[in-house]
Amino acid sequence: MTRLADDPESKFEASLISQIADGDESAFATFYQRLSSSLYGMAYRMMNDAKEAEDVLQEGFTYIWRRAGSFDPSRSTAFAWAVMIVRNKAIDRLRVRQRSERLRERAEESLVQQTDESSAEEPTLRERSAMVRSALQQIPQEQRAALELAFFGGLTHEEIAERLTTPLGTIKARIRRGLLRLRDFLHEEI
Amino acid sequence: MIDEQTQELVLQYLLGELEPSRMEAVRTQIESDAELKTFVNEMEETVGSLAYSVQPIAAPPDIPQRILRAERGPARAVQEAPRSRRAALIPWAVAACLAIACIILGVDRERVRDGLSKELAALRETNAQTSKALTQLEQKSADSEKGLAALEQKNAGAQTELAALRQKAAEQDQAVAALTQKDADSQKELAALRQRNLLSEVKIATLTAQVAKFQQTNAVVVWDTGLRSGVLLLDKLPPPAPGKDYQLWVIDPSKPIPVSAGVLSVPSVGLIRTSFHPTQPVQSAAAFAISVEKSGGSTKPEGQIILLGK
């Protein structure tokens, strides 16, 4: 089965991480340039606040700079590794504060205004985004909703079950099945 | 084959949901099971790809510089500072001070925690009040904007109305000017009509000689039909023969005989201008005549007609 890790873009990003581990600042700048818009978009969606998303991004990339040597290219892609780092930083913050609905609305409004037009000019990013969105659309809605709450909302399985008033076992199954189907769709696309 | 329960546990591990101790146990389990490790790797890749589904946003470009600047700072200080023996003791002194401070802080910890809790509560209260005030201000601002918009609308309406009134006033001024002009024209026309009316009431008749002797005589009668009287102008009329007089007659077709307008008094030389009134009412003065009559005049023409005109 072909994996994302095997495509040239992923290999290049993995080599950048290797150079970063050796203290290469220009590799760090290139890696940031390639991934920051996606990671910032994710952090923004999770935090609903531009300043906090920026802080999360900075904390995540500080971690990458310091711990690039711990990246194992045989385990996952550099992108997935960076996503998990930034997501964990966001979850750390999400779990210590409650956002007001008002702030959320403002952030969503500004999110729409700050869409990065330049990203549309990067074919690789655009193709990957289109591929993932297309794969997500093929997953049943209830599985997708549970996945998004877990990934972007930073909610635990128990919290999702409570919010959706659905048994915990059902939520676990939905997330598991959703991810398995997403994996299969992505591999088929590659 | 990985059972569903293990898969779910691994996913919770990947999503960062497990307690630290549980995380470590799962990590150990993954490292010892090649099939599970492969599954975890695939799932990590899959979970990570979810970030592609989000709309990318341009991130601040200077974050790498910020990170590198912050990371470089302490390292350079360590490399560049010359370390003397006394300086080498500094970290130990600092550590000792920190230890003492920790003891003091530990003692004071509960008190500080209470204080912080109170301050946090107060800050939350202040935050809530600020949010409320901000909401009210936003509401007021929205109301003011609405009011301003209404006033602007009203002002625009008033301006339009004013422009219409000015236009109407200008039109009325033009109408008044036109009427004044018309009135002046009417006055002129009326004056002309009056003049024409006056002229229509006046009849002018030139009398011509009926006898050769009076060929040089000029005679004109101006007759006012309204007043039924007239004026006679005579020039170069020789004096009448002794025992004779000149008599003026008005010929009215409704009368069987001419109506006498009186005997003329003729000086020796010069222009005669005399007004006259017929002795009987005249309906229509069709012609005028002067005849030679016996001295003192006659009731009807008996002598020779010397001048006649219509």
Side-chain angles (χ1 to χ4, degrees), chain A residues 3-4 25 32 37 54 58 66 75 84 87 102 106 111 116 128-129 152 157 176 183 186, chain B residues 4 7-8 14-15 17 41-42 44-45 49 52-54 57-58 60 66 71-72 138:
Chain A
R3 290 179 52 201
L4 267 173
E25 294 182 358
Y32 178 84
S37 61
E54 188 178 324
Q58 184 163 336
R66 288 178 181 169
R75 281 188 56 186
M84 300 311 285
R87 181 177 172 274
R102 185 174 178 78
R106 284 186 184 178
L111 179 67
D116 178 18
R128 285 184 182 179
S129 297
F152 295 114
H157 286 41
R176 181 176 56 77
R183 178 196 64 180
L186 292 176
Chain B
E4 291 180 356
Q7 287 182 349
E8 285 167 4
L14 279 176
L15 291 167
E17 290 187 17
N41 292 348
E42 287 176 1
E44 185 172 343
E45 211 170 84
S49 70
Y52 281 125
S53 68
V54 178
I57 301 172
R66 279 191 239 161
E71 293 292 304
R72 273 188 220 125
E138 282 175 350

mmCIF file of all heavy atoms in Angstrom, chain A residues 3-4 25 32 37 54 58 66 75 84 87 102 106 111 116 128-129 152 157 176 183 186, chain B residues 4 7-8 14-15 17 41-42 44-45 49 52-54 57-58 60 66 71-72 138:
data_model
loop_
_atom_site.group_PDB
_atom_site.id
_atom_site.type_symbol
_atom_site.label_atom_id
_atom_site.label_comp_id
_atom_site.label_asym_id
_atom_site.label_seq_id
_atom_site.Cartn_x
_atom_site.Cartn_y
_atom_site.Cartn_z
ATOM 1 N N ARG A 3 2.046 5.031 0.590
ATOM 2 C CA ARG A 3 1.764 5.971 1.670
ATOM 3 C C ARG A 3 2.165 7.378 1.251
ATOM 4 O O ARG A 3 2.987 7.571 0.347
ATOM 5 C CB ARG A 3 2.544 5.574 2.927
ATOM 6 C CG ARG A 3 2.047 4.319 3.582
ATOM 7 C CD ARG A 3 2.887 4.010 4.798
ATOM 8 N NE ARG A 3 2.975 5.160 5.682
ATOM 9 C CZ ARG A 3 3.950 5.319 6.586
ATOM 10 N NH1 ARG A 3 4.886 4.431 6.719
ATOM 11 N NH2 ARG A 3 3.967 6.385 7.364
ATOM 12 N N LEU A 4 1.588 8.356 1.962
ATOM 13 C CA LEU A 4 1.939 9.749 1.709
ATOM 14 C C LEU A 4 3.427 9.982 1.900
ATOM 15 O O LEU A 4 4.048 10.782 1.209
ATOM 16 C CB LEU A 4 1.178 10.663 2.678
ATOM 17 C CG LEU A 4 -0.152 11.235 2.213
ATOM 18 C CD1 LEU A 4 -0.803 11.960 3.359
ATOM 19 C CD2 LEU A 4 0.035 12.157 1.023
ATOM 20 N N GLU A 25 19.420 26.871 9.612
ATOM 21 C CA GLU A 25 18.359 27.883 9.772
ATOM 22 C C GLU A 25 17.590 28.110 8.477
ATOM 23 O O GLU A 25 16.391 28.369 8.510
ATOM 24 C CB GLU A 25 18.974 29.191 10.265
ATOM 25 C CG GLU A 25 19.537 29.058 11.675
ATOM 26 C CD GLU A 25 20.111 30.362 12.207
ATOM 27 O OE1 GLU A 25 20.099 31.370 11.465
ATOM 28 O OE2 GLU A 25 20.562 30.366 13.361
ATOM 29 N N TYR A 32 9.147 26.182 7.371
ATOM 30 C CA TYR A 32 8.083 27.065 7.882
ATOM 31 C C TYR A 32 7.252 27.611 6.715
ATOM 32 O O TYR A 32 6.027 27.620 6.748
ATOM 33 C CB TYR A 32 8.707 28.219 8.669
ATOM 34 C CG TYR A 32 7.682 29.206 9.192
ATOM 35 C CD1 TYR A 32 7.020 28.969 10.397
ATOM 36 C CD2 TYR A 32 7.352 30.366 8.482
ATOM 37 C CE1 TYR A 32 6.076 29.866 10.872
ATOM 38 C CE2 TYR A 32 6.407 31.255 8.948
ATOM 39 C CZ TYR A 32 5.780 31.005 10.146
ATOM 40 O OH TYR A 32 4.834 31.879 10.614
ATOM 41 N N SER A 37 1.143 27.966 6.525
ATOM 42 C CA SER A 37 -0.233 28.409 6.241
ATOM 43 C C SER A 37 -1.251 27.335 6.620
ATOM 44 O O SER A 37 -2.310 27.635 7.176
ATOM 45 C CB SER A 37 -0.389 28.823 4.776
ATOM 46 O OG SER A 37 -0.108 27.746 3.938
ATOM 47 N N GLU A 54 -1.369 32.329 16.599
ATOM 48 C CA GLU A 54 0.018 32.712 16.318
ATOM 49 C C GLU A 54 0.948 32.173 17.416
ATOM 50 O O GLU A 54 2.028 31.652 17.118
ATOM 51 C CB GLU A 54 0.100 34.235 16.242
ATOM 52 C CG GLU A 54 1.438 34.742 15.768
ATOM 53 C CD GLU A 54 1.463 36.261 15.669
ATOM 54 O OE1 GLU A 54 0.432 36.855 15.296
ATOM 55 O OE2 GLU A 54 2.498 36.844 15.999
ATOM 56 N N GLN A 58 3.947 29.506 16.975
ATOM 57 C CA GLN A 58 5.332 29.787 17.406
ATOM 58 C C GLN A 58 5.833 28.697 18.371
ATOM 59 O O GLN A 58 6.965 28.239 18.250
ATOM 60 C CB GLN A 58 5.394 31.164 18.074
ATOM 61 C CG GLN A 58 6.822 31.542 18.460
ATOM 62 C CD GLN A 58 6.983 33.022 18.730
ATOM 63 O OE1 GLN A 58 6.202 33.829 18.240
ATOM 64 N NE2 GLN A 58 7.999 33.370 19.495
ATOM 65 N N ARG A 66 13.744 22.623 18.139
ATOM 66 C CA ARG A 66 14.517 21.982 19.216
ATOM 67 C C ARG A 66 14.554 20.456 19.083
ATOM 68 O O ARG A 66 15.539 19.815 19.407
ATOM 69 C CB ARG A 66 13.884 22.330 20.575
ATOM 70 C CG ARG A 66 14.101 23.781 20.984
ATOM 71 C CD ARG A 66 13.400 24.052 22.304
ATOM 72 N NE ARG A 66 13.566 25.439 22.735
ATOM 73 C CZ ARG A 66 12.890 25.985 23.719
ATOM 74 N NH1 ARG A 66 11.996 25.281 24.392
ATOM 75 N NH2 ARG A 66 13.088 27.241 24.051
ATOM 76 N N ARG A 75 8.054 6.500 10.532
ATOM 77 C CA ARG A 75 6.765 6.438 11.239
ATOM 78 C C ARG A 75 5.665 7.197 10.511
ATOM 79 O O ARG A 75 4.568 6.703 10.330
ATOM 80 C CB ARG A 75 6.920 7.012 12.650
ATOM 81 C CG ARG A 75 7.568 6.045 13.628
ATOM 82 C CD ARG A 75 7.520 6.595 15.031
ATOM 83 N NE ARG A 75 6.173 6.909 15.436
ATOM 84 C CZ ARG A 75 5.852 7.516 16.576
ATOM 85 N NH1 ARG A 75 6.803 7.892 17.409
ATOM 86 N NH2 ARG A 75 4.601 7.764 16.876
ATOM 87 N N MET A 84 0.745 17.116 14.405
ATOM 88 C CA MET A 84 0.488 16.596 15.749
ATOM 89 C C MET A 84 1.129 17.483 16.817
ATOM 90 O O MET A 84 0.557 17.695 17.883
ATOM 91 C CB MET A 84 1.018 15.154 15.887
ATOM 92 C CG MET A 84 0.378 14.173 14.920
ATOM 93 S SD MET A 84 -1.429 14.223 14.861
ATOM 94 C CE MET A 84 -1.838 13.413 16.383
ATOM 95 N N ARG A 87 -0.981 20.715 16.936
ATOM 96 C CA ARG A 87 -2.287 20.382 17.507
ATOM 97 C C ARG A 87 -2.178 20.175 19.020
ATOM 98 O O ARG A 87 -3.036 20.638 19.774
ATOM 99 C CB ARG A 87 -2.836 19.124 16.843
ATOM 100 C CG ARG A 87 -4.195 18.728 17.364
ATOM 101 C CD ARG A 87 -4.760 17.523 16.643
ATOM 102 N NE ARG A 87 -5.964 17.084 17.311
ATOM 103 C CZ ARG A 87 -5.981 16.253 18.334
ATOM 104 N NH1 ARG A 87 -4.848 15.766 18.814
ATOM 105 N NH2 ARG A 87 -7.122 15.912 18.894
ATOM 106 N N ARG A 102 -19.027 34.769 21.784
ATOM 107 C CA ARG A 102 -18.818 36.035 21.080
ATOM 108 C C ARG A 102 -17.452 36.055 20.384
ATOM 109 O O ARG A 102 -17.349 36.461 19.222
ATOM 110 C CB ARG A 102 -18.911 37.176 22.090
ATOM 111 C CG ARG A 102 -18.835 38.540 21.462
ATOM 112 C CD ARG A 102 -19.078 39.580 22.531
ATOM 113 N NE ARG A 102 -18.966 40.901 21.958
ATOM 114 C CZ ARG A 102 -19.905 41.473 21.230
ATOM 115 N NH1 ARG A 102 -21.022 40.848 21.003
ATOM 116 N NH2 ARG A 102 -19.735 42.671 20.722
ATOM 117 N N ARG A 106 -16.441 36.374 16.338
ATOM 118 C CA ARG A 106 -15.503 37.360 15.780
ATOM 119 C C ARG A 106 -14.383 36.674 15.025
ATOM 120 O O ARG A 106 -13.982 37.101 13.951
ATOM 121 C CB ARG A 106 -14.896 38.198 16.912
ATOM 122 C CG ARG A 106 -15.861 39.227 17.443
ATOM 123 C CD ARG A 106 -15.157 40.086 18.424
ATOM 124 N NE ARG A 106 -16.083 41.033 19.013
ATOM 125 C CZ ARG A 106 -15.760 41.898 19.933
ATOM 126 N NH1 ARG A 106 -14.537 41.952 20.385
ATOM 127 N NH2 ARG A 106 -16.649 42.729 20.419
ATOM 128 N N LEU A 111 -11.629 35.073 10.193
ATOM 129 C CA LEU A 111 -11.049 33.931 9.466
ATOM 130 C C LEU A 111 -11.414 34.003 7.999
ATOM 131 O O LEU A 111 -10.594 33.811 7.118
ATOM 132 C CB LEU A 111 -11.560 32.621 10.073
ATOM 133 C CG LEU A 111 -11.083 31.340 9.417
ATOM 134 C CD1 LEU A 111 -9.593 31.182 9.631
ATOM 135 C CD2 LEU A 111 -11.803 30.133 9.983
ATOM 136 N N ASP A 116 -5.940 32.960 2.994
ATOM 137 C CA ASP A 116 -4.677 33.191 2.284
ATOM 138 C C ASP A 116 -4.852 32.920 0.806
ATOM 139 O O ASP A 116 -4.980 31.786 0.378
ATOM 140 C CB ASP A 116 -3.618 32.257 2.874
ATOM 141 C CG ASP A 116 -2.289 32.416 2.148
ATOM 142 O OD1 ASP A 116 -2.109 33.434 1.468
ATOM 143 O OD2 ASP A 116 -1.453 31.517 2.294
ATOM 144 N N ARG A 128 -3.257 18.492 -2.256
ATOM 145 C CA ARG A 128 -3.439 17.703 -1.038
ATOM 146 C C ARG A 128 -4.727 18.102 -0.314
ATOM 147 O O ARG A 128 -5.475 17.250 0.165
ATOM 148 C CB ARG A 128 -2.249 17.908 -0.102
ATOM 149 C CG ARG A 128 -1.001 17.174 -0.555
ATOM 150 C CD ARG A 128 0.093 17.347 0.450
ATOM 151 N NE ARG A 128 1.329 16.693 0.043
ATOM 152 C CZ ARG A 128 2.444 16.719 0.763
ATOM 153 N NH1 ARG A 128 2.484 17.387 1.906
ATOM 154 N NH2 ARG A 128 3.514 16.102 0.356
ATOM 155 N N SER A 129 -4.960 19.429 -0.240
ATOM 156 C CA SER A 129 -6.170 19.912 0.425
ATOM 157 C C SER A 129 -7.409 19.376 -0.272
ATOM 158 O O SER A 129 -8.351 18.898 0.371
ATOM 159 C CB SER A 129 -6.203 21.444 0.404
ATOM 160 O OG SER A 129 -5.111 21.932 1.138
ATOM 161 N N PHE A 152 -10.228 18.974 15.644
ATOM 162 C CA PHE A 152 -10.148 20.437 15.696
ATOM 163 C C PHE A 152 -10.678 20.992 17.016
ATOM 164 O O PHE A 152 -10.206 22.015 17.486
ATOM 165 C CB PHE A 152 -10.937 21.059 14.538
ATOM 166 C CG PHE A 152 -10.358 20.743 13.195
ATOM 167 C CD1 PHE A 152 -11.048 19.952 12.293
ATOM 168 C CD2 PHE A 152 -9.114 21.217 12.834
ATOM 169 C CE1 PHE A 152 -10.507 19.642 11.064
ATOM 170 C CE2 PHE A 152 -8.563 20.914 11.595
ATOM 171 C CZ PHE A 152 -9.263 20.128 10.709
ATOM 172 N N HIS A 157 -13.080 11.708 23.699
ATOM 173 C CA HIS A 157 -14.207 10.871 23.272
ATOM 174 C C HIS A 157 -15.398 11.060 24.212
ATOM 175 O O HIS A 157 -16.549 11.131 23.772
ATOM 176 C CB HIS A 157 -13.782 9.392 23.259
ATOM 177 C CG HIS A 157 -12.886 9.034 22.110
ATOM 178 N ND1 HIS A 157 -11.870 9.849 21.667
ATOM 179 C CD2 HIS A 157 -12.845 7.932 21.302
ATOM 180 C CE1 HIS A 157 -11.254 9.279 20.654
ATOM 181 N NE2 HIS A 157 -11.829 8.097 20.414
ATOM 182 N N ARG A 176 -13.084 5.743 14.950
ATOM 183 C CA ARG A 176 -12.215 4.684 14.421
ATOM 184 C C ARG A 176 -12.571 4.377 12.968
ATOM 185 O O ARG A 176 -11.699 4.372 12.085
ATOM 186 C CB ARG A 176 -12.353 3.417 15.288
ATOM 187 C CG ARG A 176 -11.474 2.254 14.844
ATOM 188 C CD ARG A 176 -11.604 1.076 15.799
ATOM 189 N NE ARG A 176 -12.987 0.625 15.958
ATOM 190 C CZ ARG A 176 -13.645 -0.117 15.057
ATOM 191 N NH1 ARG A 176 -13.023 -0.496 13.964
ATOM 192 N NH2 ARG A 176 -14.893 -0.474 15.256
ATOM 193 N N ARG A 183 -8.183 6.850 5.783
ATOM 194 C CA ARG A 183 -6.887 6.275 5.415
ATOM 195 C C ARG A 183 -6.998 5.535 4.072
ATOM 196 O O ARG A 183 -6.189 5.724 3.170
ATOM 197 C CB ARG A 183 -6.424 5.287 6.498
ATOM 198 C CG ARG A 183 -5.114 4.599 6.189
ATOM 199 C CD ARG A 183 -4.888 3.389 7.057
ATOM 200 N NE ARG A 183 -5.907 2.353 6.815
ATOM 201 C CZ ARG A 183 -5.947 1.167 7.444
ATOM 202 N NH1 ARG A 183 -5.032 0.894 8.359
ATOM 203 N NH2 ARG A 183 -6.891 0.289 7.179
ATOM 204 N N LEU A 186 -7.453 7.930 1.125
ATOM 205 C CA LEU A 186 -6.211 8.663 0.817
ATOM 206 C C LEU A 186 -5.211 7.769 0.108
ATOM 207 O O LEU A 186 -4.531 8.183 -0.839
ATOM 208 C CB LEU A 186 -5.609 9.258 2.094
ATOM 209 C CG LEU A 186 -6.420 10.392 2.730
ATOM 210 C CD1 LEU A 186 -5.789 10.833 4.045
ATOM 211 C CD2 LEU A 186 -6.520 11.589 1.782
ATOM 212 N N GLU B 4 -10.593 -4.251 17.568
ATOM 213 C CA GLU B 4 -11.177 -2.903 17.557
ATOM 214 C C GLU B 4 -10.846 -2.125 18.816
ATOM 215 O O GLU B 4 -10.607 -0.902 18.783
ATOM 216 C CB GLU B 4 -12.697 -3.003 17.385
ATOM 217 C CG GLU B 4 -13.079 -3.487 15.997
ATOM 218 C CD GLU B 4 -14.585 -3.583 15.802
ATOM 219 O OE1 GLU B 4 -15.319 -3.334 16.792
ATOM 220 O OE2 GLU B 4 -15.017 -3.915 14.701
ATOM 221 N N GLN B 7 -7.434 -0.796 18.558
ATOM 222 C CA GLN B 7 -7.421 0.314 17.585
ATOM 223 C C GLN B 7 -7.931 1.603 18.231
ATOM 224 O O GLN B 7 -7.342 2.672 18.063
ATOM 225 C CB GLN B 7 -8.307 -0.041 16.383
ATOM 226 C CG GLN B 7 -7.695 -1.077 15.465
ATOM 227 C CD GLN B 7 -8.600 -1.371 14.251
ATOM 228 O OE1 GLN B 7 -9.749 -0.948 14.205
ATOM 229 N NE2 GLN B 7 -8.059 -2.119 13.303
ATOM 230 N N GLU B 8 -9.035 1.467 18.976
ATOM 231 C CA GLU B 8 -9.613 2.667 19.615
ATOM 232 C C GLU B 8 -8.662 3.234 20.659
ATOM 233 O O GLU B 8 -8.525 4.461 20.794
ATOM 234 C CB GLU B 8 -10.964 2.325 20.233
ATOM 235 C CG GLU B 8 -12.042 2.184 19.153
ATOM 236 C CD GLU B 8 -13.323 1.538 19.668
ATOM 237 O OE1 GLU B 8 -13.409 1.270 20.889
ATOM 238 O OE2 GLU B 8 -14.219 1.296 18.850
ATOM 239 N N LEU B 14 -3.119 8.611 19.952
ATOM 240 C CA LEU B 14 -2.703 9.549 18.899
ATOM 241 C C LEU B 14 -3.339 10.918 19.065
ATOM 242 O O LEU B 14 -2.724 11.948 18.790
ATOM 243 C CB LEU B 14 -3.083 8.987 17.515
ATOM 244 C CG LEU B 14 -2.152 7.953 16.918
ATOM 245 C CD1 LEU B 14 -2.718 7.439 15.603
ATOM 246 C CD2 LEU B 14 -0.773 8.555 16.684
ATOM 247 N N LEU B 15 -4.594 10.913 19.522
ATOM 248 C CA LEU B 15 -5.310 12.186 19.677
ATOM 249 C C LEU B 15 -4.961 12.875 20.992
ATOM 250 O O LEU B 15 -5.494 13.939 21.302
ATOM 251 C CB LEU B 15 -6.826 11.957 19.570
ATOM 252 C CG LEU B 15 -7.305 11.570 18.164
ATOM 253 C CD1 LEU B 15 -8.738 11.049 18.192
ATOM 254 C CD2 LEU B 15 -7.193 12.760 17.216
ATOM 255 N N GLU B 17 -5.420 11.865 24.186
ATOM 256 C CA GLU B 17 -6.476 11.860 25.202
ATOM 257 C C GLU B 17 -6.089 11.126 26.491
ATOM 258 O O GLU B 17 -6.763 11.271 27.504
ATOM 259 C CB GLU B 17 -7.737 11.189 24.629
ATOM 260 C CG GLU B 17 -8.419 12.012 23.582
ATOM 261 C CD GLU B 17 -9.740 11.399 23.172
ATOM 262 O OE1 GLU B 17 -10.256 10.538 23.918
ATOM 263 O OE2 GLU B 17 -10.247 11.770 22.119
ATOM 264 N N ASN B 41 1.451 4.243 12.681
ATOM 265 C CA ASN B 41 2.069 5.153 11.713
ATOM 266 C C ASN B 41 1.060 5.610 10.652
ATOM 267 O O ASN B 41 0.988 6.782 10.311
ATOM 268 C CB ASN B 41 3.262 4.474 11.035
ATOM 269 C CG ASN B 41 4.403 4.235 12.009
ATOM 270 O OD1 ASN B 41 4.393 4.771 13.123
ATOM 271 N ND2 ASN B 41 5.366 3.418 11.632
ATOM 272 N N GLU B 42 0.304 4.642 10.151
ATOM 273 C CA GLU B 42 -0.707 4.983 9.129
ATOM 274 C C GLU B 42 -1.767 5.918 9.699
ATOM 275 O O GLU B 42 -2.207 6.872 9.061
ATOM 276 C CB GLU B 42 -1.373 3.706 8.607
ATOM 277 C CG GLU B 42 -0.476 2.897 7.698
ATOM 278 C CD GLU B 42 -1.120 1.577 7.271
ATOM 279 O OE1 GLU B 42 -2.283 1.318 7.675
ATOM 280 O OE2 GLU B 42 -0.462 0.820 6.548
ATOM 281 N N GLU B 44 -1.414 7.919 12.258
ATOM 282 C CA GLU B 44 -0.851 9.248 12.544
ATOM 283 C C GLU B 44 -0.821 10.088 11.266
ATOM 284 O O GLU B 44 -1.150 11.270 11.265
ATOM 285 C CB GLU B 44 0.556 9.111 13.115
ATOM 286 C CG GLU B 44 1.127 10.462 13.543
ATOM 287 C CD GLU B 44 2.443 10.352 14.290
ATOM 288 O OE1 GLU B 44 2.774 9.248 14.763
ATOM 289 O OE2 GLU B 44 3.129 11.375 14.422
ATOM 290 N N GLU B 45 -0.453 9.420 10.187
ATOM 291 C CA GLU B 45 -0.441 10.096 8.891
ATOM 292 C C GLU B 45 -1.848 10.557 8.503
ATOM 293 O O GLU B 45 -2.059 11.669 8.013
ATOM 294 C CB GLU B 45 0.062 9.097 7.844
ATOM 295 C CG GLU B 45 0.819 9.731 6.714
ATOM 296 C CD GLU B 45 1.468 8.649 5.873
ATOM 297 O OE1 GLU B 45 0.773 8.112 4.990
ATOM 298 O OE2 GLU B 45 2.644 8.323 6.117
ATOM 299 N N SER B 49 -3.273 14.343 8.179
ATOM 300 C CA SER B 49 -3.789 14.860 6.901
ATOM 301 C C SER B 49 -5.075 15.667 7.081
ATOM 302 O O SER B 49 -5.454 16.421 6.191
ATOM 303 C CB SER B 49 -4.033 13.702 5.929
ATOM 304 O OG SER B 49 -5.137 12.936 6.357
ATOM 305 N N TYR B 52 -5.098 19.269 6.285
ATOM 306 C CA TYR B 52 -5.232 19.750 4.903
ATOM 307 C C TYR B 52 -6.662 20.194 4.590
ATOM 308 O O TYR B 52 -6.889 20.910 3.627
ATOM 309 C CB TYR B 52 -4.851 18.646 3.913
ATOM 310 C CG TYR B 52 -3.365 18.450 3.736
ATOM 311 C CD1 TYR B 52 -2.784 17.205 3.930
ATOM 312 C CD2 TYR B 52 -2.541 19.506 3.345
ATOM 313 C CE1 TYR B 52 -1.420 17.014 3.751
ATOM 314 C CE2 TYR B 52 -1.181 19.319 3.172
ATOM 315 C CZ TYR B 52 -0.617 18.073 3.375
ATOM 316 O OH TYR B 52 0.714 17.898 3.195
ATOM 317 N N SER B 53 -7.603 19.718 5.396
ATOM 318 C CA SER B 53 -9.001 20.058 5.093
ATOM 319 C C SER B 53 -9.347 21.486 5.497
ATOM 320 O O SER B 53 -10.386 22.004 5.124
ATOM 321 C CB SER B 53 -9.940 19.083 5.814
ATOM 322 O OG SER B 53 -9.875 19.295 7.203
ATOM 323 N N VAL B 54 -8.447 22.105 6.257
ATOM 324 C CA VAL B 54 -8.702 23.481 6.713
ATOM 325 C C VAL B 54 -8.196 24.449 5.655
ATOM 326 O O VAL B 54 -7.210 24.184 4.978
ATOM 327 C CB VAL B 54 -7.966 23.733 8.045
ATOM 328 C CG1 VAL B 54 -8.179 25.160 8.510
ATOM 329 C CG2 VAL B 54 -8.443 22.761 9.083
ATOM 330 N N ILE B 57 -4.171 29.738 5.955
ATOM 331 C CA ILE B 57 -4.157 31.183 6.255
ATOM 332 C C ILE B 57 -2.701 31.629 6.290
ATOM 333 O O ILE B 57 -1.849 30.940 6.857
ATOM 334 C CB ILE B 57 -4.829 31.480 7.608
ATOM 335 C CG1 ILE B 57 -6.279 30.985 7.612
ATOM 336 C CG2 ILE B 57 -4.792 32.963 7.932
ATOM 337 C CD1 ILE B 57 -6.935 31.076 8.956
ATOM 338 N N ALA B 58 -2.447 32.787 5.691
ATOM 339 C CA ALA B 58 -1.070 33.291 5.681
ATOM 340 C C ALA B 58 -0.598 33.506 7.117
ATOM 341 O O ALA B 58 -1.204 34.273 7.855
ATOM 342 C CB ALA B 58 -1.002 34.594 4.903
ATOM 343 N N PRO B 60 2.129 34.707 10.096
ATOM 344 C CA PRO B 60 3.127 35.785 10.213
ATOM 345 C C PRO B 60 4.488 35.287 9.713
ATOM 346 O O PRO B 60 4.937 34.220 10.154
ATOM 347 C CB PRO B 60 3.151 36.077 11.717
ATOM 348 C CG PRO B 60 1.843 35.584 12.216
ATOM 349 C CD PRO B 60 1.475 34.422 11.360
ATOM 350 N N ARG B 66 11.875 35.068 14.937
ATOM 351 C CA ARG B 66 11.611 35.232 16.379
ATOM 352 C C ARG B 66 12.155 34.032 17.146
ATOM 353 O O ARG B 66 12.802 34.175 18.178
ATOM 354 C CB ARG B 66 10.103 35.320 16.622
ATOM 355 C CG ARG B 66 9.520 36.698 16.363
ATOM 356 C CD ARG B 66 8.095 36.708 16.903
ATOM 357 N NE ARG B 66 7.123 37.006 15.872
ATOM 358 C CZ ARG B 66 5.828 36.748 15.937
ATOM 359 N NH1 ARG B 66 5.338 36.138 16.997
ATOM 360 N NH2 ARG B 66 5.019 37.080 14.975
ATOM 361 N N GLU B 71 16.223 31.524 20.479
ATOM 362 C CA GLU B 71 17.032 30.328 20.736
ATOM 363 C C GLU B 71 18.529 30.658 20.769
ATOM 364 O O GLU B 71 19.288 30.044 21.495
ATOM 365 C CB GLU B 71 16.775 29.278 19.636
ATOM 366 C CG GLU B 71 15.373 28.711 19.661
ATOM 367 C CD GLU B 71 15.111 27.862 20.902
ATOM 368 O OE1 GLU B 71 15.859 26.909 21.142
ATOM 369 O OE2 GLU B 71 14.156 28.175 21.642
ATOM 370 N N ARG B 72 18.934 31.641 19.960
ATOM 371 C CA ARG B 72 20.358 31.988 19.888
ATOM 372 C C ARG B 72 20.810 32.744 21.122
ATOM 373 O O ARG B 72 21.915 32.569 21.598
ATOM 374 C CB ARG B 72 20.616 32.896 18.682
ATOM 375 C CG ARG B 72 20.873 32.160 17.402
ATOM 376 C CD ARG B 72 21.298 33.170 16.353
ATOM 377 N NE ARG B 72 20.714 32.876 15.073
ATOM 378 C CZ ARG B 72 19.992 33.719 14.350
ATOM 379 N NH1 ARG B 72 19.737 34.927 14.796
ATOM 380 N NH2 ARG B 72 19.513 33.363 13.185
ATOM 381 N N GLU B 138 -21.524 49.023 22.025
ATOM 382 C CA GLU B 138 -21.756 48.612 20.632
ATOM 383 C C GLU B 138 -23.204 48.860 20.230
ATOM 384 O O GLU B 138 -23.496 49.301 19.129
ATOM 385 C CB GLU B 138 -21.407 47.130 20.461
ATOM 386 C CG GLU B 138 -19.915 46.888 20.370
ATOM 387 C CD GLU B 138 -19.541 45.404 20.332
ATOM 388 O OE1 GLU B 138 -20.430 44.558 20.558
ATOM 389 O OE2 GLU B 138 -18.372 45.109 20.123
#
